[in-house]
Amino acid sequence: MERAKMAEESLETAAEHERILREIESTDTACIGPTLRSVYDGEEHGRFMEKLETRIRNHDREIEKMCNFHYQGFVDSITELLKVRGEAQKLKNQVTDTNRKLQHEGKELVIAMEELKQCRLQQRNISATVDKLMLCLPVLEMYSKLRDQMKTKRHYPALKTLEHLEHTYLPQVSHYRFCKVMVDNIPKLREEIKDVSMSDLKDFLESIRKHSDKIGETAMKQAQQQRNLDNIVLQQPRIGSKRKSKKDVYTIFDAEMESTSPKSEQDSGILDVEDEEDDEEVPGAQDLVDFSPVYRCLHIYSVLGARETFENYYRKQRRKQARLVLQPPSNMHETLDGYRKYFNQIVGFFVVEDHILHTTQGLVNRAYIDELWEMALSKTIAALRTHSSYCSDPNLVLDLKNLIVLFADTLQVYGFPVNQLFDMLLEIRDQYSETLLKKWAGVFRNILDSDNYSPIPVTSEETYKKVVGQFPFQDIELEKQPFPKKFPFSEFVPKVYNQIKEFIYACLKFSEDLHLSSTEVDDMIRKSTNLLLTRTLSNSLQNVIKRKNIGLTELVQIIINTTHLEKSCKYLEEFITNITNVLPETVHTTKLYGTTTFKDARHAAEEEIYTNLNQKIDQFLQLADYDWMAGELESKASDYLVDLIAFLRSTFAVFTHLPGKVAQTACMSACKHLATSLMQLLLEAEVRQLTLGALQQFNLDVRECEQFARSGPVPGFQEDTLQLAFIDLRQEIFFLPLFDHLAAFRPLLWAPSPGFRPRGARTPGRSLPSPVTLVRPSPPPSRPAQPIPRAAANMLFEGLELVSALATLAACLVSVTLLLAVSQQLWQLRWAATRDKSCKLPIPKGSMGFPLIGETGHWLLQGSDFQSSRREKYGNVFKTHLLGRPLIRVTGAENVRKILLGEHQLVSTEWPRSARVLLGPNTVANSIGDIHRNKRKVFSKIFSHEALESYLPKIQLVIQDTLRAWSSQPEAINVYQEAQRLTFRMAVRVLLGFSIPEEDLGHLFEVYQQFVDNVFSLPLDLPFSGYRRGIQARQILQKGLEKAIREKLQCTQGKDYSDALDILIESSKEHGKEMTMQELKDGTLELIFAAYATTASASTSLIMQLLKHPAVLEKLREELRAQGLLHGGGCPCEGTLRLDTLSGLRYLDCVIKEVMRLFTPISGGYRTVLQTFELDGFQIPKGWSVMYSIRDTHDTAPVFKDVNVFDPDRFSQARSEDKDGRFHYLPFGGGVRTCLGKHLAKLFLKVLAVELASTSRFELATRTFPRITLVPVLHPVDGLSVKFFGLDSNQNEILPETEAMLSATV
């Protein structure tokens, strides 16, 4: 075994040595070291050396064999080499000889070469000279070309030439003197080009200002052509449709009403001339205007490095032109051409700007265009509101509407938002309705004045069909009668009916192209028609009925006419349904009130008949002459009464044409009036005594009246129904003798009032001042009355003393409880009785609370739960009683929209009485109508773009100082209180520019806090009440503000900007009225109030949300970092922010919007109802207060997803949740009372957010976030305790001592 094992190891070693030898043979010599190392590391290196020696000997033998094999070839090669060397020597000798001969022969050639070399040198010098000249000639040619271009005013090519000359040609010849002269002249040439191009731009701007009208006209013509084409395309698929379009309806109606139309012959189309030219191709703005001066000037300034200067100049000049364009002429409202020219100029201006936006790179940007458009939109709407209010012609208003629609469509094509224009058209729609109502009031007046109030006679079938064709009337009995015959109504019935239909068509024309749904159109027509019926036609009928000289025949005919018009109301309903295609069964469809109108008119006519009859009865009764002391008895009724009864019989015989109930009511009314008048004759104060004879005579007259009642003067009464009118009079006559007998016992029983009468002897309307004594001819002696014994009374009172005190207390408690319950029910009934009886809709559900205080206590204690709990219980519209006023609270976009757009028509602003008194009567918030519009014009300049630009540096500086002061505080601060101080300081120092000492400013702030805390309080002027404290604070503030205003007016030097008070004074002068001192005080107080409470609330909410959502704060810092605005502590550099910069911070804008959505500072706005209207299926009665809820509308808006989540990205361009509905998001209100200072508030919040993100770190100082309260504005209950830390430019926390040094430096 050992041998086998040794043999095996020997074989392995041999194999390994063989492998190493092969590796040595195949490996480079430099790499053989590791191989040899492996040999010596082993134990068998001796054996390996033996094998290596063996291998070397083998190789030597092989080499030797190879050399022997090749030896003979080597010898032969050596022999050949020796031969070659001999031949080479011979060749060398031959070459040497040849060289010697060549040198001898080439001496002449060398001389010739020297001459040629000299010639070549001269040629090279000439060529160099030519090259230099060739370099200089292009420079001179370019300079000559530059001069020619400057002479021919080709400045853009000249600038190009100058650029090539400077950068391409002159560097090549820069060492020449003339080039240095050119280089020195280049800046002058550039300035010359800049000046000349700017001059061309000024000419362009002046030209474009003059031609804006033509550009706008062309653009509007294009829009009109496109709209016509769209209408043609839309109408082609409808050729076979059964449903008629609105224009088809107009055509049919025009054919029907051609003979009766009161309109002018001229149609209300606004672009008839343009329509005739539809086939012609209309040139675009680029075809009408040469924009090359702008492009050249822009490029020139860009090349010259002054692009920003050019952009600022261009924008500034265009802003000035925009203000000129937006200034309407004073007589614009007189003709449609005035409006058309105004619109053409505006359209032309923005068409040019849109073209510049899309053809230049950055000369104008979208933010600039949007800012201009927002200004233009507000000024245009204000101008239209003002001038359209002067229009009294409905045709002109309709033409204006069509022109506004075309104006909006034109600008919408260019991407401008025009929703506000269509909202304003809804306001003009109300004005259009008013002008229509005024026009139709005259029409109805003429119809009623010219009517003969007699049935319409017809003598032929043709005349009969004509009347039936004009008015829906069917009477089988009348159709069977032969001619001639009469309709039961007079001529004004078909005329009035047709005029109502024409009014409906006039309303329908206004709704065209307003992008309204069929339901909205139907609602508009029905509401306007209701106004026509309930106001215009009703007033006209009432005026006719109330005429002094109107007779009973006319009144009877009016009753008949209104009866037939009432029956025709269902046909008017069908008529509106046919033209709007909205079924009456549709939810929220407004019902026509025509039935009520005609019923009221008929009732008024009936009342007038009753009044005339009563007056006639009074005339007869004036002839009555009773002798109350007469002793003789007569056997017949008085003569005056016999004549009166005869008159009544003949009158009621004529009433057979009246409806049965009317005749019966007239008869009953006459009998009751007669009975009441006779009762008054008997109970007159002068009648102290009367005899039995006089009483008998009076009894005979009453019997005559009863006989008349029993005779049935008017058919339809049941047996003795009419006699009931005289029952009280009969009882009075019956009980009068008995009453005289009881008079003796009266002092013994009780002490009633002098006019007391036993049960059954009622005295309607009055009581006797003293008892009547019945005088008898021979009265029998009366026995003396015996007094009642007092013993029973004493026993009764002694028994009452035995009642326990506990029972008395229980009875008192029960009484008080019952009293409260009854008083609360009576309080509810008291407000339920205020509903408008003419409207069938119910008052909204809800609770009015307790008497006088209502639900004010619940509102103050429950906070936000008050509104939410009642909204869940009663719905979006509910009633309550707050701050001494009945109030209807409204939630929901559509409901709020109706209120905001119904300003001055449906509602008018009215804050609670406490707010009205404390803010003052001269404020914008408390003014209405034209006064409000004028005040808004005056105050609007305070918040213009230029004014905000001037406020911005001061606001930033105030905020930086405040945040630095907050960071230096060692303890946590109350954010809400400090935010109030900050906004108060900003309002006083920056906005109003007052230089009030710090001590006085602190005292003024404390007084102002007391004032704000009591703005919304119960209006009870009692000692120690909040209302009284608010009045006292207002008086102190007024004195302080007056002092500050007078000091400011006296010292006007050293100011670097115009503050709000300066602008307010100047703006009021521009509008032709200087403000009094009281108006200035109220105005400044209102400005501080608007900037103080709400802005402090929003600032606190912003800080709280940034604390709750650090990811939002970090994302905001990333945006600031991307814009280069993330700076830190140090010197507060004024003016580092600009409006354009803030407008570009999209995410910051989303954050501010989300804060205002989720934490709107005020709950809503107050309005007073001017006329009863419908809202969400309920009537809103006239005289009540309405509060639209902004915060709850945000919370319930369907367009917002996860309404309770703070999500700024919902306002990003990708989502834009607020774009789906305008009135779903309204933190600053809407309509004509949109918050004037909304841009200032957003500016303040944006600057605060930027400074917070860049200069501060802050953390909550309490364990949890505080609860939120809503009164007087939204704010945390404990004010939000927060600790602030300053940050440096690297976002590192600043040490306290550094902060203190920095604050001291500031």
Side-chain angles (χ1 to χ4, degrees):
M1 290 294 292
E2 293 181 357
R3 289 181 180 178
K5 186 176 180 179
M6 292 177 61
E8 184 178 353
E9 291 179 356
S10 177
L11 291 174
E12 291 178 359
T13 303
E16 178 64 18
H17 290 170
E18 187 66 26
R19 184 188 65 77
I20 292 174
L21 290 174
R22 285 197 302 269
E23 185 175 349
I24 292 173
E25 290 174 351
S26 61
T27 305
D28 190 11
T29 305
C31 301
I32 203 172
T35 304
L36 296 177
R37 171 62 59 186
S38 64
V39 173
Y40 285 96
D41 289 341
E43 298 178 355
E44 303 294 334
H45 57 275
R47 188 178 298 177
F48 174 77
M49 293 301 297
E50 293 176 358
K51 286 193 175 187
L52 181 61
E53 290 293 335
T54 304
R55 180 65 61 91
I56 292 173
R57 286 193 296 270
N58 292 336
H59 281 296
D60 288 340
R61 285 194 295 270
E62 290 177 0
I63 292 171
E64 186 177 357
K65 289 179 181 180
M66 187 176 294
C67 290
N68 292 334
F69 179 77
H70 293 288
Y71 175 75
Q72 187 61 42
F74 176 73
V75 172
D76 293 339
S77 297
I78 293 297
T79 303
E80 289 294 330
L81 181 61
L82 292 175
K83 291 180 180 181
V84 169
R85 187 177 64 177
E87 294 296 328
Q89 185 64 38
K90 292 179 182 179
L91 182 60
K92 177 182 176 182
N93 295 332
Q94 291 177 0
V95 170
T96 302
D97 294 338
T98 303
N99 181 43
R100 187 169 53 252
K101 292 178 180 179
L102 286 174
Q103 287 180 356
H104 177 73
E105 296 294 334
K107 287 182 180 179
E108 295 179 0
L109 182 59
V110 169
I111 295 171
M113 287 296 294
E114 287 294 332
E115 293 177 356
L116 180 61
K117 178 180 178 182
Q118 188 66 28
C119 182
R120 292 287 184 180
L121 180 60
Q122 293 176 354
Q123 185 179 4
R124 188 166 55 251
N125 291 336
I126 293 172
S127 178
T129 303
V130 171
D131 291 340
K132 297 295 183 181
L133 289 174
M134 292 298 294
L135 285 176
C136 293
L137 283 176
V139 175
L140 297 174
E141 289 175 355
M142 290 294 288
Y143 192 78
S144 176
K145 180 181 178 181
L146 174 64
R147 281 299 181 183
D148 293 339
Q149 290 171 342
M150 294 289 290
K151 289 180 181 179
T152 56
K153 296 184 178 181
R154 297 169 59 208
H155 304 104
Y156 178 64
L159 190 63
K160 284 282 204 179
T161 303
L162 187 62
E163 184 178 359
H164 286 298
L165 182 64
E166 182 180 13
H167 298 290
T168 305
Y169 294 97
L170 286 179
Q172 299 176 3
V173 291
S174 58
H175 53 283
Y176 295 110
R177 191 189 310 170
F178 75 91
C179 293
K180 294 180 181 179
V181 174
M182 290 183 183
V183 169
D184 295 338
N185 201 29
I186 283 176
K188 299 178 181 179
L189 292 175
R190 282 204 176 96
E191 288 298 323
E192 183 179 353
I193 292 173
K194 185 189 294 186
D195 294 340
V196 175
S197 62
M198 182 58 71
S199 176
D200 293 342
L201 177 67
K202 292 178 180 178
D203 295 340
F204 167 79
L205 292 175
E206 181 64 24
S207 174
I208 204 68
R209 185 183 66 82
K210 295 179 179 178
H211 293 87
S212 292
D213 187 11
K214 182 64 177 176
I215 297 171
E217 180 182 0
T218 303
M220 293 179 73
K221 185 184 294 185
Q222 289 177 329
Q224 178 68 26
Q225 289 181 356
Q226 184 61 42
R227 192 166 65 177
N228 293 340
L229 291 175
D230 293 342
N231 290 336
I232 293 173
V233 172
L234 290 175
Q235 288 175 2
Q236 283 178 351
R238 301 185 190 174
I239 294 176
S241 177
K242 294 182 180 180
R243 183 175 295 180
K244 298 175 182 177
S245 66
K246 293 179 182 177
K247 293 188 177 180
D248 297 334
V249 175
Y250 296 152
T251 306
I252 296 172
F253 175 71
D254 291 339
E256 291 178 354
M257 304 304 299
E258 185 175 358
S259 59
T260 60
S261 175
K263 298 188 302 181
S264 61
E265 296 180 358
Q266 183 180 359
D267 189 14
S268 61
I270 63 171
L271 293 171
D272 295 337
V273 176
E274 287 81 350
D275 291 343
E276 296 174 359
E277 301 174 359
D278 281 348
D279 295 335
E280 297 182 8
E281 183 179 355
V282 180
Q286 65 276 8
D287 300 323
L288 296 174
V289 180
D290 180 16
F291 290 94
S292 57
V294 180
Y295 304 149
R296 286 197 301 267
C297 198
L298 173 63
H299 188 76
I300 288 171
Y301 272 75
S302 299
V303 171
L304 298 178
R307 181 187 179 96
E308 185 177 357
T309 302
F310 173 73
E311 290 177 358
N312 293 335
Y313 175 81
Y314 177 84
R315 295 181 183 184
K316 182 178 180 181
Q317 294 301 315
R318 290 297 281 169
R319 280 197 183 97
K320 291 181 179 179
Q321 291 185 356
R323 293 190 188 93
L324 293 176
V325 167
L326 295 172
Q327 186 68 30
S330 58
N331 61 343
M332 183 176 71
H333 59 275
E334 296 178 357
T335 62
L336 188 64
D337 289 337
Y339 289 104
R340 183 181 286 113
K341 185 175 180 181
Y342 180 64
F343 287 145
N344 287 343
Q345 290 178 347
I346 297 174
V347 172
F349 179 87
F350 283 100
V351 166
V352 170
E353 290 305 296
D354 182 77
H355 186 79
I356 293 294
L357 174 66
H358 290 90
T359 56
T360 60
Q361 296 180 353
L363 177 57
V364 296
N365 52 30
R366 177 53 63 182
Y368 161 79
I369 296 293
D370 291 343
E371 176 195 337
L372 278 182
W373 174 241
E374 186 175 354
M375 176 188 70
L377 199 58
S378 61
K379 289 184 176 294
T380 303
I381 291 175
L384 289 176
R385 282 200 184 103
T386 301
H387 287 269
S388 64
S389 62
Y390 301 135
C391 293
S392 58
D393 182 9
N395 292 331
L396 180 58
V397 178
L398 183 61
D399 290 343
L400 176 59
K401 166 257 167 183
N402 292 331
L403 190 59
I404 293 174
V405 170
L406 180 59
F407 171 69
D409 290 345
T410 304
L411 289 170
Q412 194 171 24
V413 171
Y414 290 92
F416 294 99
V418 294
N419 292 335
Q420 294 186 40
L421 287 173
F422 284 101
D423 290 339
M424 188 208 59
L425 282 174
L426 298 181
E427 300 176 24
I428 295 181
R429 177 190 66 187
D430 298 334
Q431 180 186 346
Y432 176 70
S433 298
E434 290 297 326
T435 56
L436 285 180
L437 291 174
K438 291 180 182 178
K439 179 178 180 179
W440 257 261
V443 172
F444 288 144
R445 185 169 56 252
N446 294 334
I447 292 174
L448 297 177
D449 290 344
S450 62
D451 193 50
N452 56 8
Y453 296 96
S454 59
I456 301 176
V458 288
T459 57
S460 62
E461 184 71 23
E462 181 181 357
T463 307
Y464 183 85
K465 290 182 178 179
K466 181 179 179 182
V467 175
V468 174
Q470 293 178 352
F471 182 75
F473 175 78
Q474 290 182 352
D475 189 345
I476 299 176
E477 296 296 331
L478 183 62
E479 291 178 358
K480 293 179 181 179
Q481 294 179 10
F483 292 99
K485 51 188 174 182
K486 293 183 179 180
F487 285 97
F489 46 79
S490 65
E491 291 183 354
F492 90 66
V493 172
K495 290 182 179 178
V496 167
Y497 181 80
N498 282 298
Q499 288 304 320
I500 294 174
K501 289 175 64 177
E502 186 168 354
F503 177 87
I504 292 172
Y505 276 114
C507 293
L508 183 64
K509 285 186 176 180
F510 192 91
S511 65
E512 195 177 23
D513 299 324
L514 289 187
H515 311 299
L516 300 176
S517 64
S518 299
T519 305
E520 291 175 317
V521 174
D522 181 84
D523 183 67
M524 180 198 74
I525 293 176
R526 289 178 182 271
K527 289 179 179 178
S528 299
T529 307
N530 280 335
L531 287 176
L532 178 74
L533 295 173
T534 58
R535 194 170 74 185
T536 306
L537 181 56
S538 177
N539 291 339
S540 299
L541 290 172
Q542 295 291 341
N543 291 335
V544 173
I545 293 170
K546 298 298 181 182
R547 285 179 187 167
K548 294 182 179 180
N549 57 348
I550 191 168
L552 291 175
T553 306
E554 287 86 350
L555 292 173
V556 170
Q557 189 61 53
I558 289 174
I559 292 174
I560 296 172
N561 289 348
T562 52
T563 302
H564 286 88
L565 285 172
E566 180 183 348
K567 294 178 181 179
S568 69
C569 288
K570 64 178 182 179
Y571 298 102
L572 290 175
E573 289 269 9
E574 295 175 359
F575 178 71
I576 295 176
T577 300
N578 291 334
I579 63 176
T580 61
N581 299 312
V582 177
L583 298 177
E585 296 80 12
T586 306
V587 180
H588 302 315
T589 300
T590 305
K591 305 299 180 185
L592 287 184
Y593 301 147
T595 303
T596 305
T597 298
F598 298 124
K599 281 183 179 178
D600 292 343
R602 186 165 65 253
H603 293 161
E606 293 169 4
E607 291 294 333
E608 194 66 24
I609 290 177
Y610 309 151
T611 302
N612 288 351
L613 279 176
N614 294 341
Q615 290 175 354
K616 197 66 176 178
I617 292 172
D618 291 339
Q619 293 175 5
F620 279 101
L621 288 175
Q622 289 176 1
L623 302 176
D625 187 15
Y626 288 102
D627 184 5
W628 302 110
M629 301 302 295
E632 299 180 358
L633 300 177
E634 295 187 7
S635 58
K636 64 175 183 177
S638 302
D639 293 337
Y640 86 91
L641 191 65
V642 174
D643 295 339
L644 173 58
I645 297 299
F647 166 75
L648 292 177
R649 291 184 187 277
S650 60
T651 300
F652 292 138
V654 179
F655 279 18
T656 54
H657 299 292
L658 283 175
K661 291 184 179 180
V662 177
Q664 293 169 14
T665 305
C667 185
M668 178 61 78
S669 174
C671 291
K672 285 184 177 180
H673 183 71
L674 177 57
T676 303
S677 300
L678 289 175
M679 181 78 77
Q680 290 175 352
L681 285 176
L682 182 63
L683 302 179
E684 284 182 350
E686 293 80 4
V687 183
R688 297 289 182 176
Q689 294 178 336
L690 56 86
T691 62
L692 288 175
L695 186 62
Q696 182 63 29
Q697 179 62 47
F698 195 80
N699 185 42
L700 288 174
D701 292 344
V702 174
R703 286 182 179 177
E704 184 70 21
C705 295
E706 293 173 340
Q707 180 63 32
F708 168 73
R710 283 194 297 269
S711 65
V714 172
F717 283 112
Q718 296 180 357
E719 297 177 355
D720 296 333
T721 303
L722 196 57
Q723 286 183 262
L724 294 176
F726 300 97
I727 188 66
D728 289 344
L729 184 59
R730 172 54 61 195
Q731 290 177 355
E732 182 73 23
I733 297 173
F734 176 76
F735 282 107
L736 193 57
L738 297 178
F739 179 73
D740 184 64
H741 285 293
L742 291 173
F745 297 96
R746 190 186 309 154
L748 300 178
L749 300 176
W750 61 83
S753 62
F756 169 78
R757 294 211 173 271
R759 183 178 180 183
R762 299 187 301 272
T763 305
R766 59 180 294 180
S767 61
L768 285 173
S770 61
V772 177
T773 303
L774 181 62
V775 180
R776 292 176 174 82
S778 56
S782 60
R783 58 182 180 178
Q786 298 296 328
I788 298 175
R790 301 290 183 179
N794 293 334
M795 291 178 63
L796 177 62
F797 285 111
E798 288 175 1
L800 290 176
E801 293 176 357
L802 301 177
V803 179
S804 65
L806 184 61
T808 305
L809 179 60
C812 291
L813 292 176
V814 171
S815 300
V816 171
T817 304
L818 290 175
L819 180 62
L820 287 176
V822 172
S823 64
Q824 188 173 11
Q825 290 299 320
L826 292 175
W827 180 252
Q828 301 287 342
L829 293 174
R830 178 254 185 276
W831 293 111
T834 60
R835 69 179 299 274
D836 192 343
K837 304 299 188 299
S838 63
C839 181
K840 296 181 180 180
L841 296 175
I843 287 182
K845 301 176 182 178
S847 172
M848 303 302 288
F850 294 99
L852 298 180
I853 63 173
E855 291 191 303
T856 305
H858 297 81
W859 177 56
L860 294 174
L861 294 175
Q862 294 181 1
S864 59
D865 295 337
F866 176 83
Q867 168 76 4
S868 59
S869 62
R870 282 153 180 78
R871 187 179 70 243
E872 293 174 0
K873 184 176 181 180
Y874 302 118
N876 285 340
V877 180
F878 65 87
K879 67 182 177 184
T880 183
H881 193 282
L882 298 177
L883 301 177
R885 290 281 293 171
L887 179 69
I888 294 177
R889 296 195 67 158
V890 176
T891 300
E894 288 302 319
N895 295 331
V896 173
R897 173 184 178 276
K898 189 169 186 177
I899 291 175
L900 292 178
L901 296 184
E903 186 77 25
H904 306 316
Q905 285 84 32
L906 299 179
V907 297
S908 176
T909 184
E910 183 177 8
W911 290 82
R913 185 171 181 270
S914 58
R916 294 201 308 271
V917 173
L918 294 180
L919 289 178
N922 298 313
T923 56
V924 178
N926 287 328
S927 59
I928 59 175
D930 293 336
I931 298 177
H932 172 255
R933 281 191 285 268
N934 294 333
K935 284 185 177 295
R936 280 186 72 93
K937 289 180 182 177
V938 173
F939 277 78
S940 61
K941 287 194 174 182
I942 296 176
F943 308 104
S944 64
H945 184 276
E946 292 79 4
L948 295 180
E949 192 75 63
S950 65
Y951 303 152
L952 178 56
K954 311 298 179 184
I955 293 174
Q956 184 184 7
L957 186 58
V958 169
I959 291 176
Q960 288 176 345
D961 290 345
T962 301
L963 291 181
R964 191 171 289 109
W966 291 358
S967 301
S968 63
Q969 294 291 332
E971 303 295 334
I973 67 166
N974 187 311
V975 173
Y976 182 58
Q977 290 183 0
E978 293 301 323
Q980 288 178 317
R981 293 182 185 276
L982 168 61
T983 53
F984 184 78
R985 179 182 296 274
M986 186 272 295
V988 174
R989 297 283 196 204
V990 179
L991 194 59
L992 296 174
F994 289 156
S995 300
I996 301 177
E998 284 296 326
E999 183 178 354
D1000 295 343
L1001 188 64
H1003 174 67
L1004 204 63
F1005 172 72
E1006 294 176 357
V1007 176
Y1008 199 82
Q1009 274 191 318
Q1010 178 181 338
F1011 170 79
V1012 173
D1013 291 341
N1014 296 288
V1015 166
F1016 297 101
S1017 57
L1018 279 174
L1020 301 176
D1021 192 5
L1022 300 174
F1024 309 108
S1025 66
Y1027 185 63
R1028 175 69 64 84
R1029 291 197 300 270
I1031 292 176
Q1032 293 172 350
R1034 170 182 165 81
Q1035 293 172 351
I1036 298 174
L1037 287 172
Q1038 292 268 339
K1039 292 180 181 178
L1041 291 175
E1042 182 175 356
K1043 178 182 177 182
I1045 292 172
R1046 294 190 184 279
E1047 291 177 355
K1048 186 175 185 301
L1049 294 177
Q1050 293 174 359
C1051 181
T1052 58
Q1053 298 180 353
K1055 293 183 58 177
D1056 57 350
Y1057 77 106
S1058 295
D1059 54 55
L1061 190 59
D1062 297 332
I1063 298 173
L1064 187 63
I1065 296 173
E1066 292 299 324
S1067 180
S1068 62
K1069 291 180 180 179
E1070 291 177 4
H1071 289 84
K1073 182 184 177 182
E1074 289 197 34
M1075 301 182 72
T1076 63
M1077 178 55 68
Q1078 185 60 43
E1079 289 177 334
L1080 286 174
K1081 290 189 293 184
D1082 287 347
T1084 53
L1085 188 62
E1086 184 179 24
L1087 285 174
I1088 298 175
F1089 179 77
Y1092 168 78
T1094 55
T1095 311
S1097 169
S1099 302
T1100 306
S1101 300
L1102 173 64
I1103 294 173
M1104 185 166 65
Q1105 292 312 300
L1106 293 179
L1107 280 170
K1108 283 186 176 181
H1109 306 279
V1112 174
L1113 179 59
E1114 185 57 34
K1115 189 173 181 180
L1116 180 59
R1117 283 174 173 160
E1118 290 178 2
E1119 183 179 46
L1120 297 177
R1121 194 175 291 111
Q1123 297 291 332
L1125 297 176
L1126 193 59
H1127 58 279
C1131 178
C1133 300
E1134 182 180 337
T1136 55
L1137 290 178
R1138 295 182 57 189
L1139 287 181
D1140 294 341
T1141 307
L1142 292 176
S1143 300
L1145 300 174
R1146 298 297 183 187
Y1147 187 71
L1148 173 60
D1149 187 63
C1150 295
V1151 172
I1152 301 302
K1153 284 185 176 180
E1154 180 67 355
V1155 169
M1156 297 302 293
R1157 181 195 70 84
L1158 204 55
F1159 300 94
T1160 309
I1162 60 173
S1163 299
Y1166 291 87
R1167 299 290 187 271
T1168 294
V1169 181
L1170 299 179
Q1171 61 180 5
T1172 302
F1173 64 94
E1174 180 269 339
L1175 198 67
D1176 206 14
F1178 298 101
Q1179 68 158 286
I1180 310 300
K1182 178 181 178 181
W1184 280 52
S1185 293
V1186 176
M1187 178 187 175
Y1188 65 90
S1189 180
I1190 296 176
R1191 191 177 298 113
D1192 293 293
T1193 299
H1194 290 173
D1195 292 343
T1196 58
V1199 299
F1200 295 128
K1201 300 177 181 178
D1202 300 328
V1203 292
N1204 295 323
V1205 177
F1206 184 78
D1207 181 14
D1209 289 325
R1210 72 173 75 247
F1211 294 100
S1212 62
Q1213 294 181 353
R1215 292 169 61 181
S1216 299
E1217 293 182 5
D1218 60 326
K1219 299 299 183 183
D1220 294 336
R1222 179 184 169 198
F1223 289 91
H1224 293 291
Y1225 178 72
L1226 59 164
F1228 299 100
V1232 298
R1233 290 189 176 272
T1234 304
C1235 178
L1236 276 170
K1238 62 180 181 180
H1239 296 298
L1240 177 62
K1242 290 192 287 188
L1243 173 64
F1244 180 88
L1245 293 175
K1246 287 182 179 180
V1247 176
L1248 177 62
V1250 170
E1251 295 298 332
L1252 282 170
S1254 58
T1255 66
S1256 300
R1257 182 178 69 83
F1258 41 97
E1259 59 186 29
L1260 188 65
T1262 57
R1263 297 182 63 183
T1264 59
F1265 285 95
R1267 184 173 58 86
I1268 299 297
T1269 185
L1270 306 178
V1271 181
V1273 294
L1274 184 143
H1275 67 278
V1277 173
D1278 68 348
L1280 189 64
S1281 182
V1282 176
K1283 181 69 178 74
F1284 281 82
F1285 306 92
L1287 298 179
D1288 59 14
S1289 58
N1290 296 319
Q1291 295 292 291
N1292 296 320
E1293 187 174 324
I1294 301 176
L1295 297 177
E1297 54 271 18
T1298 306
E1299 182 72 32
M1301 293 174 59
L1302 190 58
S1303 300
T1305 304
V1306 175

